[in-house]
Amino acid sequence: ICHADLDPNLYRNRDEIPNNGIDDDNNGKIDDYRGWDFPFQSDTPFVDFHGTAVASIIGAKGNNGKGVTGVNWDVKIMPVAMGQITEAATIEAMDYVWTFRKRYNASQGQTGAFVVAINTSFGLDFVQPDSMPIWCGFYDSLGAAGILSVASTMNRNANVDSVGDMPTSCGSDYLIAVNNTNKL
């Protein structure tokens, strides 16, 4: 599914029996044991693209004599792939994670997942937040459940507060916007 340094830190859905063809946790996803890939409707969202690289920086297992090391060696990463960057696809992916955290909160940790943060290393350049109010508002919903969101700005030399950038231009107390350091 992914490189050996990331695999030990991937989330496993303890409420789902893998590969039995049944939606054991009743969340509408059959066999979502290792996260969810919305375009392919499967629990194998990792391919060797940007998301895998970012997940590896966040949480590749370190000090094991293998390839790379992430910032946090002992973390659980719930991979979610959404395909095209649209407001609807983004809400669907964020809702998947939000539902796990809400179940965790409601059951005092007996079901669901203790999701503390999401990484949104994608976006739409030159898009104003008022054109995507549901997407922006969802960061407050995530935050109310206990989930902090981190999003990256566009890879351009631009003032996103003026020109717009989704989602980093959203005004939520639960959203941290980050940018690169090599664009002047």
Side-chain angles (χ1 to χ4, degrees), residues 118-140:
I118 64 167
N119 167 58
T120 309
S121 59
F122 62 86
L124 298 171
D125 298 353
F126 306 109
V127 176
Q128 294 293 341
D130 59 353
S131 67
M132 306 226 168
I134 298 170
W135 181 351
C136 283
F138 212 92
Y139 290 109
D140 289 335

Side-chain angles (χ1 to χ4, degrees), residues 127-157:
V127 176
Q128 294 293 341
D130 59 353
S131 67
M132 306 226 168
I134 298 170
W135 181 351
C136 283
F138 212 92
Y139 290 109
D140 289 335
S141 298
L142 290 165
I147 302 172
L148 179 66
S149 298
V150 180
S152 57
T153 62
M154 63 176 77
N155 292 323
R156 304 169 192 254
N157 183 17

Side-chain angles (χ1 to χ4, degrees), residues 82-148:
M82 58 180 241
Q84 291 186 322
I85 303 169
T86 65
E87 187 172 42
T90 303
I91 295 302
E92 185 177 43
M94 290 193 311
D95 182 66
Y96 178 79
V97 175
W98 184 51
T99 298
F100 274 95
R101 179 57 192 259
K102 289 189 309 181
R103 285 182 176 187
Y104 181 91
N105 292 349
S107 70
Q108 285 92 32
Q110 297 303 304
T111 62
F114 185 59
V115 179
V116 297
I118 64 167
N119 167 58
T120 309
S121 59
F122 62 86
L124 298 171
D125 298 353
F126 306 109
V127 176
Q128 294 293 341
D130 59 353
S131 67
M132 306 226 168
I134 298 170
W135 181 351
C136 283
F138 212 92
Y139 290 109
D140 289 335
S141 298
L142 290 165
I147 302 172
L148 179 66

Side-chain angles (χ1 to χ4, degrees), residues 5 54 64 70 76 88 117 120 142 148 156-157 170 172 183:
D5 287 315
V54 172
N64 61 4
K76 290 300 174 201
T120 309
L142 290 165
L148 179 66
R156 304 169 192 254
N157 183 17
C170 294
S172 172
K183 296 287 181 185

